[in-house]
Amino acid sequence: MRPPLPAPGRYCAPGMPDITIGPGPDVGIDLMDCRHATIPGGRVRAARCYGMGGAEVPYDVDLVVRSDGALEHDGTVYSRPCGAKR
């Protein structure tokens, strides 16, 4: 059975940069814009992500979809909609 993919949208955690999923295979994570990213088995992978100042790097980082639909990244839980009381 394949792990669930996150729903498109913006996910937030207090004091942390947002994570955005979509449109399509684009992911915004850790202040990086990752085009054509894949999310296999609890990781985000992209051959090219763009960071501040135009830096271009490959990226591979943890991103788990929890059973409640929230995302967990680097020990922090991100949920949506942003601004909702947690």
Side-chain angles (χ1 to χ4, degrees):
M1 180 176 229
R2 185 178 270 183
L5 292 176
R10 194 173 107 210
Y11 294 77
C12 303
M16 302 299 288
D18 297 350
I19 294 175
T20 56
I21 305 296
D26 296 345
V27 175
I29 189 168
D30 294 335
L31 300 176
M32 306 278 286
D33 290 321
C34 301
R35 310 290 172 161
H36 307 291
T38 60
I39 308 174
R43 302 203 66 79
V44 169
R45 292 186 176 115
R48 249 183 261 171
C49 293
Y50 301 92
M52 297 169 108
E56 184 178 313
V57 296
Y59 211 57
D60 181 349
V61 69
D62 70 299
L63 185 71
V64 175
V65 181
R66 295 167 36 123
S67 61
D68 63 359
L71 303 179
E72 188 169 342
H73 166 59
D74 199 24
T76 300
V77 176
Y78 294 76
S79 56
R80 47 181 284 211
C82 293
K85 292 203 178 241
R86 294 177 204 11

